[in-house]
Amino acid sequence: MEFIQKKTADSTLERFLTKAAENELSLVWDRYEGQIPECGFCETGLSCRDCLQGPCISHPFRDSNKRGVCGKDKDILAAQSLLRLVLKGTMVYLDQLNDFAKGVESGEVKPKNKGKTDQILKEVQNLFKDGGIQTKKELPKNLIRRWEETGISPEGISRDLFKASQKLEGGVGDVEEMLLWSFKSSLLGSMAHWLHGNLKRSVFGDLIPTKVEVNLGALKKGVPNLLLYGSFSLILKCKIAAEAKKKGVYVTGVCSDPLIPPFSFPQVTNYGSQEIPILTGAVDLIVVGNQFVNPSLTKIAREWEIPVIPAEGLKREKNPSHFARQIVEKAKKSFEFRRNLPKEIPEVKEVAMMGFSRENVEAKKVLGALNKGQIKGIAILSGSNNVKFTQDQETVSMAQEFLKNNILCLSKGEASVALAKYGLLHPDLKEKYCDKAFSNTLSSLGKEIPSILDFGDGEIVNFLFDIAKAGKKELRDVPIVAVFPEAHRSSEVTEAMWTVAMGISTYFWPSLPVTGSQKTMEALTKFCYEKFGSRLNIFTEKKIDARAKANLVLKALKGEEGFGMSGKPWK
């Protein structure tokens, strides 16, 4: 039986784990332990309930290939398990873009750059209808050509998502065909993510690197604390921030955008410990989206008498300005009601420099440092937390090993918040994690550069394309890898797939539900390398030390033979 020996690497949280136990509150770690042992068929992708004749399973150990009622074998079951995750993840990015675009079109916000905004809104409509013909023109021609030759170039929602979803209903096809549909769907998500970042800049203004407070110490004493959880309308978040500023209400976030110009939102913790801020007693009101939000919040908040307001409920106030005023007023009333309740805010917090972009870090300087050997490679750190690992430990340990080996580390989203909690995004702490020579190299790239650079929505892709263009190379010819040390969301699976399609080899933990099919595992490495010059590396060993994982990636970056895929799913 599996069990978690240590729940989190963040010592700030330990007292609250004890507090939850004393109050008999079930947290995410407790619920995970209650689920063990997990279903082996589901974990390996060998189960299916796409119709009412099932559920069906296949056997990974047997030579005979047990088929589902409709005739699906274990290879198709595994490939479809991946497709199912990618479709769900792609919808996340499309929903975010559609929600934002509709809010802008309805006049809920006045764009900083109206001409550019109108142009992007047209591109959004084109993406949904035809797969983004104009958007593709802004991407490297050789990359688009490869996608078209492979048949995975986006063609719009009706072609990419509707058709891909029907592969789950039936029909014929092999593993490679199923994987190509997964890649095709993921690329639609990648373009939605990229356009979302562009629209954000045209509406709210360009991002500039900004210092953001991180960890529980970012909560304030003596004022109402309003906490934004998860992804929901950027416009509503800005309206809430503006109203809160007028009324003396302090706004922070969890799994939420840290920067929406002109506002910045301190991040009080990251995904794995999202229940903990409630236990401080200092939170007075919570506004939640759907993505990155655990349903458990409602029950725990009720124990501390904290109102929880869904930002996207069917019966919500439609006018964002009115809704924001209602939210802020409720936060003030809740603060008065809860004024005499005990509050326990730790003093621990870090400062993180967040929001870098191609405008703040010159690609030519990075390319020059790569050519001189001052930078040995580039690693993109992504993903959130997964309860199967000690929270933050994998992400932070791997990042530290990369920095010791002079690897330029870029991060985004929840991975950035995890790294920020340990000072890896603080400009003044570079020499704690880097030797003097590499610290000087980083400092030469721009102003107030930390050990690891956090990039905003879609900015990493722009930056990497600039590097490839400056070196007159394709991305697959540049020493770049993407690493998901603690992934868990379907949107992260989608991101991993589109990253591979762009020519960047990707390392993903934990293993995806494809390990019951050797053909699918092999296709994610050999077939992907033939098509894109990159691989999706999935590991079935569950107890690999984080430093050993980093060493596998470093070998690949240095051109040595890495771990890759053993070809033995049940090693």
Side-chain angles (χ1 to χ4, degrees):
M1 179 180 288
E2 297 177 64
F3 60 93
I4 296 179
Q5 297 181 2
K6 187 174 182 181
K7 294 177 171 61
T8 178
D10 187 353
S11 58
T12 311
L13 307 179
E14 290 176 0
R15 71 176 87 170
F16 297 104
L17 300 179
T18 304
K19 187 174 184 178
E22 290 171 349
N23 286 274
E24 298 184 346
L25 277 179
S26 173
L27 299 179
V28 61
W29 298 280
D30 308 307
R31 295 191 296 274
Y32 171 65
E33 291 170 0
Q35 290 291 331
I36 295 172
E38 295 181 312
C39 171
F41 295 107
C42 296
E43 188 177 17
T44 56
L46 300 185
S47 64
C48 175
R49 67 162 315 136
D50 284 333
C51 75
L52 301 180
Q53 297 182 112
C56 296
I57 59 171
S58 186
H59 292 294
F61 298 110
R62 295 181 182 175
D63 292 332
S64 60
N65 192 343
K66 182 177 180 178
R67 296 174 182 268
V69 173
C70 70
K72 291 180 185 177
D73 62 17
K74 64 183 178 184
D75 300 317
I76 294 299
L77 286 175
Q80 287 190 351
S81 293
L82 179 59
L83 175 59
R84 201 173 289 111
L85 280 171
V86 171
L87 287 170
K88 184 181 173 188
T90 299
M91 296 298 287
V92 168
Y93 297 105
L94 292 172
D95 177 61
Q96 289 175 350
L97 178 61
N98 183 63
D99 188 44
F100 188 19
K102 285 196 170 183
V104 175
E105 287 173 338
S106 64
E108 294 173 359
V109 64
K110 185 178 180 181
K112 291 282 186 182
N113 186 333
K114 190 175 186 310
K116 183 66 174 175
T117 298
D118 291 342
Q119 178 187 338
I120 295 172
L121 289 174
K122 289 179 182 178
E123 291 181 23
V124 171
Q125 295 303 318
N126 183 267
L127 176 69
F128 290 164
K129 184 179 179 182
D130 299 315
I133 296 173
Q134 186 60 41
T135 304
K136 291 177 191 175
K137 292 179 180 178
E138 300 183 45
L139 301 177
K141 291 181 181 178
N142 49 18
L143 190 61
I144 297 298
R145 184 171 60 251
R146 188 175 303 113
W147 292 348
E148 289 174 346
E149 290 172 353
T150 312
I152 63 170
S153 184
E155 298 178 71
I157 289 178
S158 60
R159 177 64 183 168
D160 299 345
L161 296 192
F162 295 173
K163 292 295 183 184
S165 66
Q166 294 312 296
K167 303 302 290 183
L168 304 175
E169 284 295 307
V172 296
D174 56 16
V175 167
E176 293 177 356
E177 170 81 5
M178 206 66 64
L179 287 181
L180 289 176
W181 278 105
S182 293
F183 280 114
K184 188 177 182 68
S185 301
S186 73
L187 287 175
L188 190 67
S190 76
M191 291 191 173
H193 182 58
W194 187 64
L195 282 175
H196 186 274
N198 290 347
L199 186 59
K200 181 178 177 181
R201 286 189 295 278
S202 70
V203 171
F204 297 113
D206 290 334
L207 282 180
I208 58 172
T210 303
K211 289 182 177 178
V212 178
E213 291 184 342
V214 176
N215 220 330
L216 292 172
L219 292 168
K220 279 192 175 180
K221 298 177 181 177
V223 298
N225 281 287
L226 194 164
L227 200 48
L228 307 179
Y229 270 83
S231 174
F232 58 88
S233 167
L234 299 181
I235 296 171
L236 177 58
K237 287 179 181 179
C238 275
K239 300 280 187 184
I240 291 171
E243 187 68 21
K245 186 176 181 180
K246 290 189 288 186
K247 298 296 177 69
V249 174
Y250 189 59
V251 182
T252 56
V254 176
C255 304
S256 188
D257 307 81
L259 299 173
I260 310 175
F263 302 105
S264 63
F265 301 87
Q267 301 293 295
V268 297
T269 193
N270 50 332
Y271 177 82
S273 49
Q274 64 177 269
E275 299 161 329
I276 299 297
I278 296 173
L279 275 60
T280 65
V283 177
D284 296 298
L285 186 135
I286 294 171
V287 183
V288 299
N290 293 321
Q291 300 153 14
F292 286 94
V293 177
N294 285 343
S296 60
L297 288 180
T298 304
K299 181 179 184 300
I300 298 173
R302 194 180 302 124
E303 296 287 333
W304 264 262
E305 301 186 81
I306 302 170
V308 177
I309 300 177
E312 298 178 335
L314 291 173
K315 298 180 180 179
R316 75 185 190 283
E317 166 63 58
K318 303 298 182 183
N319 184 305
S321 297
H322 293 167
F323 195 17
R325 284 195 288 272
Q326 292 172 8
I327 287 168
V328 171
E329 284 303 317
K330 285 183 180 180
K332 291 177 65 179
K333 290 178 181 178
S334 177
F335 172 71
E336 292 300 327
F337 175 76
R338 304 178 68 259
R339 181 182 286 275
N340 296 321
L341 296 178
K343 296 172 177 58
E344 185 180 0
I345 302 177
E347 297 296 327
V348 180
K349 63 181 175 182
E350 274 292 348
V351 171
M353 185 65 75
M354 307 183 87
F356 286 92
S357 67
R358 66 195 334 177
E359 283 79 24
N360 318 122
V361 184
E362 288 187 37
K364 288 184 178 179
K365 287 185 178 180
V366 173
L367 182 65
L370 279 168
N371 292 334
K372 293 175 185 176
Q374 297 168 327
I375 293 175
K376 302 296 184 183
I378 300 172
I380 305 165
L381 293 156
S382 194
S384 49
N385 290 133
N386 190 309
V387 74
K388 294 180 178 180
F389 306 109
T390 298
Q391 185 194 14
D392 302 335
Q393 181 172 283
E394 308 298 298
T395 302
V396 172
S397 297
M398 292 185 75
Q400 290 173 338
E401 290 301 310
F402 293 155
L403 293 172
K404 287 178 186 176
N405 286 271
N406 296 355
I407 303 298
L408 175 64
C409 294
L410 316 178
S411 65
K412 56 177 299 217
E414 282 298 283
S416 290
V417 179
L419 294 162
K421 292 197 299 182
Y422 305 88
L424 284 154
L425 269 63
H426 197 307
D428 297 337
L429 299 180
K430 276 200 299 291
E431 293 194 13
K432 179 180 178 181
Y433 297 105
C434 312
D435 63 34
K436 190 168 183 62
F438 190 55
S439 178
N440 290 338
T441 298
L442 292 175
S443 297
S444 71
L445 301 180
K447 296 180 180 178
E448 293 197 272
I449 300 290
S451 304
I452 297 175
L453 283 71
D454 164 75
F455 279 73
D457 291 346
E459 291 292 349
I460 285 183
V461 173
N462 287 333
F463 181 60
L464 295 180
F465 283 151
D466 285 350
I467 292 175
K469 184 178 179 181
K472 298 180 180 179
K473 296 180 179 181
E474 294 189 49
L475 282 178
R476 63 181 184 175
D477 299 320
V478 181
I480 305 172
V481 295
V483 183
F484 292 74
E486 303 176 38
H488 99 287
R489 305 291 298 182
S490 60
S491 56
E492 292 158 19
V493 180
T494 300
E495 183 186 345
M497 294 293 281
W498 85 51
T499 303
V500 172
M502 288 182 177
I504 300 172
S505 285
T506 300
Y507 294 76
F508 200 93
W509 287 276
S511 59
L512 289 167
V514 297
T515 55
S517 165
Q518 186 167 338
K519 281 187 180 179
T520 307
M521 292 280 282
E522 289 176 347
L524 287 170
T525 52
K526 295 177 183 177
F527 177 70
C528 289
Y529 189 75
E530 291 171 4
K531 297 297 181 183
F532 313 120
S534 55
R535 299 177 174 90
L536 178 57
N537 298 286
I538 299 168
F539 305 87
T540 55
E541 295 280 2
K542 295 184 178 180
K543 299 297 179 184
I544 307 177
D545 179 76
R547 287 169 294 184
K549 293 177 182 178
N551 192 45
L552 301 175
V553 179
L554 287 167
K555 284 183 178 180
L557 275 172
K558 294 175 182 178
E560 302 171 15
E561 184 179 355
F563 183 85
M565 190 209 69
S566 67
K568 299 177 182 177
W570 299 99
K571 179 180 175 183

